[in-house]
Amino acid sequence: MTTFTTPPACPFADPERLFADLEAARQLDDPPQSETFGGARVFTAYDDIVAALHDPETFSSQPTVGTVPSPWREQFEGRVPSRGTLIGVDNPDHDRLRSSVNTFFMPRRLARFEPWIREEAHRLVDRFAESGEADLKTAFALPLPLRVISHIVGIDAERGEWVGEALGFFMGPRDIHHPGTPDEKAAKLLDLHDHLRELMQLRRVDRRDDLISHIWDQRDSGAVEMTDFEMLSMFPGLMLAGHETSSNLICVALSHFLADPDLYARVQHDDASRTRALEEIFRFESAITGMKRLVTRDTQLGGMPLQAGDEVFLAYAAGSRDPSRFTHPERIDVERTGESPHLGFGQGVHACLGAPLARLLLRIELGVLHERLPDLRVAVPAQELRHTVVSEGRGLVSLPLAWTPTTPPARTSRSSTDTATPESVPVIVSGRRDVVRGVVELTLTAVAGDLPAWRPGAHIDLELPGGMVRQYSLTGDASDGAYRVAVLREDAGRGGSRAVHDGVAVGDRLRIRGPRNHFAPQPAPFSLFLAGGIGITPLLPMAAEAEAAGLPWRLLYLGRSRETMAYADDLQNRYGANVYLWPSAERGRYDIDDVWRRLPAGGRVYACGPEELLLALEESARRAGRSDSVVVERFAPRALSPLPDRPFDVELRRSGITVNVAAGESTLDAVNRAGANVLSTCREGTCGTCEVRVLAGIPEHRDSVLGLEDRLAGDTMMTCVSRCVGEKLVLDL
């Protein structure tokens, strides 16, 4: 067995030798232990690290967040959550809490902050552009991320420096840029948490475009259950990681890019080149050295036996330089494609939540610095640059830069960028009636003016007393100026239907958002409207529209008993033989395959009802080769992974290439094998990085990022986990 020999210093203690030490460790038969990482065994192989990251039940994240020592632990009791960051929380709490923020950090949704971030970057550069020299770390790399993450959470960006001083408590001696004793920083940390509590209460009733408001929206909609104290815990850890890693990354990136003028010119050609170059820096020298994990049960990793209670350090930085996975990993290759995904932001359920924000911020920073600072160069020899002490994070102590001085342009005063959540419309409940036992219909009219026009298939968000928000399909006549919704009482549900049945009366004032429509019928030679139970509601106006237009159609209405099938008598009286009722109590279970034996060629099926019915219909359509004939409206997102993995084709529309996705292969790997270069981080459908537009076909969503609206629309998919309901998808690649 190879023996691990080192200089007198502890392995990995010298930040300037870190990568050499990690590479030496890779040559050993057994992973070495290191006091630098708390006595944990250091794993450096890419495959070992990925295996552990995707097995959180065996490799717990519990040790990634240390315990606050006395006397501060007692001071923080009840005011500062002890597990104040998601990265140290295991399931089931992790997935529940992370679901409250996943959609906020999707790349396409963060894009709305780009103009604001760019303006902030320019204003910071204005302060030092005329001097011709500065330490980028203190002048730009630290203050900008602090302002950005503060603004995004919902704190005034002008308080960014104060936020940094408060969060410096968690960094301990590593915080070399914010003055103050531990007691002084602890006092500011308590003030920060008190301020966040106040903002939480303000945003509970006055929503803005910030993370605090977003989480309230998720809580009010019933999408996530969490306490106020759990909600408070979401912000400080995110803010700490969000500014520290970003400030380190921009300095490290520029130190490498500026060392070669030709490389810097290639990097700064356009936003696409910046994006590619940053991905290579995240691989080559990311801001995260690695993370500790606690072994929860006897196991093996990389062939080494581990016992419950052991601690391991997963060295992301080493994994991203593993020569078994990356060609010439010791080189910076900004054109690198087609290899394994780097580990710069981790992988698995604990993949960096803020990775999309970091990518956006760094791309903007590179662009602004290139635009504003001509002849940019490192002002000291490369050997004089020093890295911070070895820890989970990695960065430069400082980055002195020089450039040709420039005069800042005149700028107008900044206007507020805060915006309210999507505008809701006040309505009055002008009618209420019991349709059948357990189903109540509400008629809603505008308090002032007219309600927005709508088409069959549309639905609205109904804001109920107590803050709940529920989605209901519009039923009735689209031309009568009022909205009608029918609500089935579900005593075992999340409370929305009970609130309608027990608490909403004629004369009450409510608010609505919308309407929105992902279910509008399209012209077809024949339309079959298939309803299950309360799923009849969006199909009523569809049938009325088809009848008025003289189009061929039928309605198949499935229910338990005729007495519980809302609108059944009205439908038969109005449309006669066009309506086919099937109460299972009288006729037994309907043979769903019969749909395809009767549906004319070119006909389409519009279906709404319980998930069991919709899954059965989709599977039946697949067997019959008619998947493209089915359009469904769901009450909730499709159940996770209900269909077996099976091969399907993906057409990359822009490149004209069609690839086959094998049963055991991800869509992401298949399209990247064909040269699509889709970015990814978690590879478990939790971060939203690998989202692409779907141009045709029906995606089978298996992610935990997309909300109900996006899933129902089917316009995008997370390629790392999601697949295809039918035989083919067409993607905007």
Side-chain angles (χ1 to χ4, degrees):
M1 179 182 298
T2 306
T3 303
F4 185 71
T5 59
T6 65
C10 179
F12 316 111
D14 183 352
E16 311 311 327
R17 284 184 45 84
L18 176 63
F19 284 101
D21 290 343
L22 290 171
E23 182 56 33
R26 196 196 313 283
Q27 310 307 316
L28 306 178
D29 293 337
D30 290 335
Q33 289 182 284
S34 172
E35 291 305 314
T36 302
F37 302 121
R41 289 196 176 274
V42 180
F43 284 80
T44 57
Y46 182 95
D47 290 346
D48 295 344
I49 295 168
V50 169
L53 291 176
H54 289 278
D55 186 8
E57 292 185 357
T58 304
F59 296 93
S60 165
S61 63
Q62 183 270 329
T64 59
V65 180
T67 302
V68 176
S70 294
W72 303 294
R73 180 171 62 250
E74 291 75 19
Q75 295 175 21
F76 292 172
E77 183 68 28
R79 295 178 65 187
V80 177
S82 60
R83 311 300 293 175
T85 173
L86 276 173
I87 204 166
V89 178
D90 289 326
N91 274 327
D93 290 332
H94 174 272
D95 286 357
R96 173 176 60 87
L97 297 176
R98 182 159 176 155
S99 69
S100 70
V101 295
N102 275 344
T103 55
F104 187 89
F105 285 96
M106 291 172 62
R108 64 178 162 88
R109 291 182 174 160
L110 286 175
R112 68 191 187 277
F113 291 109
E114 180 165 351
W116 185 90
I117 295 173
R118 192 178 304 280
E119 177 68 11
E120 288 295 305
H122 276 291
R123 289 181 182 276
L124 278 175
V125 174
D126 287 347
R127 298 178 182 179
F128 56 79
E130 288 183 292
S131 66
E133 59 182 14
D135 172 15
L136 192 79
K137 184 85 170 185
T138 55
F140 186 80
L142 273 171
L144 182 59
L146 278 169
R147 294 176 69 84
V148 169
I149 196 64
S150 297
H151 175 75
I152 282 176
V153 166
I155 298 175
D156 185 350
E158 298 299 325
R159 306 193 71 174
E161 180 63 21
W162 169 71
V163 169
E165 292 169 356
L167 296 176
F169 174 86
F170 291 127
M171 298 177 64
R174 290 192 297 121
D175 182 24
I176 60 176
H177 296 289
H178 297 110
T181 66
D183 283 335
E184 291 170 338
K185 292 179 180 179
K188 290 180 179 178
L189 185 64
L190 287 167
D191 289 342
L192 172 61
H193 281 76
D194 288 344
H195 183 58
L196 285 167
R197 284 178 183 271
E198 293 172 2
L199 287 174
M200 284 169 55
Q201 293 311 307
L202 286 173
R203 295 293 173 261
R204 189 169 198 163
V205 295
D206 179 20
R207 304 292 165 87
R208 303 291 176 88
D209 188 12
D210 56 40
L211 185 60
I212 295 176
S213 299
H214 175 85
I215 296 180
W216 275 124
D217 286 343
Q218 297 298 298
R219 291 180 66 179
D220 288 349
S221 71
V224 63
E225 293 184 1
M226 65 193 321
T227 66
D228 288 359
F229 203 56
E230 286 178 324
M231 181 172 171
L232 176 65
S233 75
M234 300 294 292
F235 307 117
L238 173 65
M239 297 172 75
L240 174 63
H243 88 269
E244 183 188 13
T245 56
S246 296
S247 64
N248 286 335
L249 281 167
I250 188 61
C251 291
V252 168
L254 282 171
S255 71
H256 290 297
F257 295 155
L258 291 172
D260 180 350
D262 290 337
L263 173 63
Y264 184 66
R266 279 192 290 143
V267 166
Q268 294 283 26
H269 181 264
D270 55 22
D271 275 348
S273 64
R274 293 180 192 108
T275 297
R276 288 194 303 271
L278 286 168
E279 289 304 307
E280 176 66 350
I281 285 297
F282 301 153
R283 180 202 68 82
F284 184 76
E285 190 172 6
S286 77
I288 303 175
T289 305
M291 291 288 177
K292 287 175 69 175
R293 292 292 187 266
L294 173 68
V295 180
T296 63
R297 54 194 176 198
D298 293 354
T299 188
Q300 287 190 351
L301 186 62
M304 181 176 186
L306 296 171
Q307 295 181 331
D310 288 346
E311 289 190 345
V312 299
F313 184 83
L314 307 177
Y316 301 172
S320 289
R321 291 196 184 188
D322 189 334
S324 71
R325 287 288 184 169
F326 300 94
T327 305
H328 298 301
E330 75 287 352
R331 302 178 187 171
I332 293 178
D333 179 3
V334 296
E335 304 298 332
R336 190 183 296 271
T337 60
E339 297 188 77
S340 302
H342 64 73
L343 301 176
F345 294 116
Q347 275 189 27
V349 298
H350 287 292
C352 178
L353 175 66
L357 178 59
R359 285 178 163 113
L360 173 66
L361 174 58
L362 266 74
R363 174 175 59 77
I364 294 171
E365 288 178 324
L366 279 180
V368 169
L369 292 172
H370 179 60
E371 175 186 344
R372 296 293 306 280
L373 305 180
D375 190 31
L376 188 62
R377 58 197 181 275
V378 179
V380 299
Q383 60 269 25
E384 292 185 18
L385 298 177
R386 290 290 176 264
H387 289 86
T388 54
V389 295
V390 177
S391 65
E392 288 82 358
R394 177 170 172 80
L396 290 170
V397 173
S398 64
L399 183 63
L401 295 181
W403 60 90
T404 301
T406 61
T407 301
R411 297 192 185 277
T412 59
S413 61
R414 178 174 29 226
S415 60
S416 173
T417 58
D418 289 339
T419 58
T421 54
E423 184 176 358
S424 57
V425 177
V427 295
I428 189 167
V429 180
S430 58
R432 171 182 169 133
R433 72 181 179 107
D434 293 327
V435 182
V436 293
R437 178 168 53 87
V439 176
V440 65
E441 180 189 85
L442 301 181
T443 301
L444 309 172
T445 53
V447 171
D450 297 323
L451 291 173
W454 61 281
R455 269 205 69 206
H459 67 275
I460 59 170
D461 295 339
L462 182 61
E463 299 180 7
L464 298 169
M468 289 185 292
V469 180
R470 296 294 185 266
Q471 290 76 41
Y472 296 112
S473 295
L474 290 175
T475 189
D477 189 340
S479 64
D480 70 1
Y483 288 171
R484 287 183 176 81
V485 296
V487 181
L488 171 68
R489 185 183 185 100
E490 296 182 274
D491 288 325
R494 294 180 287 131
S497 67
R498 293 195 302 275
V500 171
H501 279 254
D502 298 340
V504 175
V506 172
D508 285 353
R509 291 200 174 199
L510 304 174
R511 300 187 73 87
I512 64 169
R513 303 176 199 166
R516 292 184 296 278
N517 199 336
H518 308 309
F519 195 44
Q522 302 299 319
F526 182 90
S527 296
L528 173 66
F529 305 121
L530 174 57
I534 197 62
I536 188 64
T537 52
L539 301 177
L540 292 175
M542 288 188 181
E545 183 181 69
E547 180 73 5
L551 300 174
W553 66 276
R554 295 289 187 276
L555 170 65
L556 172 59
Y557 187 1
L558 312 180
R560 290 189 179 90
S561 66
R562 191 178 179 98
E563 293 72 25
T564 62
M565 296 169 69
Y567 305 105
D569 291 340
D570 293 344
L571 284 165
Q572 282 206 317
N573 290 336
R574 184 174 181 181
Y575 301 120
N578 267 15
V579 176
Y580 193 50
L581 302 182
W582 190 282
S584 60
E586 301 173 18
R587 311 191 64 175
R589 188 179 183 88
Y590 183 78
D591 178 11
I592 202 69
D593 290 337
D594 190 55
V595 166
W596 313 112
R597 291 190 284 268
R598 297 176 180 272
L599 188 71
R604 295 174 69 86
V605 179
Y606 294 89
C608 184
E611 182 69 4
E612 180 183 6
L613 169 65
L614 301 183
L615 288 175
L617 176 66
E618 289 173 332
E619 178 61 20
S620 175
R622 187 191 67 80
R623 293 194 303 267
R626 302 291 296 272
S627 294
D628 292 342
S629 301
V630 176
V631 183
V632 302
E633 173 86 319
R634 284 185 150 85
F635 299 144
R638 181 196 303 275
L640 183 64
S641 192
L643 301 177
D645 272 9
R646 54 176 177 265
F648 60 95
D649 289 333
V650 174
E651 177 188 334
L652 312 184
R653 175 61 56 83
R654 279 184 271 159
S655 64
I657 298 172
T658 296
V659 298
N660 181 261
V661 183
E665 181 181 33
S666 72
T667 309
L668 174 68
D669 287 340
V671 299
N672 279 350
R673 187 179 69 244
N677 294 325
V678 176
L679 297 181
S680 66
T681 301
C682 70
R683 300 182 72 83
E684 289 196 358
T686 63
C687 72
T689 303
C690 67
E691 183 182 31
V692 300
R693 276 210 313 145
V694 177
L695 303 179
I698 304 172
E700 183 203 346
H701 298 294
R702 298 186 178 185
D703 64 275
S704 57
V705 183
L706 292 175
L708 176 60
E709 289 294 326
D710 287 326
R711 290 182 177 223
L712 295 178
D715 294 333
T716 69
M717 66 180 289
M718 302 302 159
T719 52
C720 67
V721 292
S722 297
R723 302 185 71 81
C724 179
V725 172
E727 306 300 324
K728 182 177 180 180
L729 290 172
V730 180
L731 303 182
D732 186 21
L733 293 171

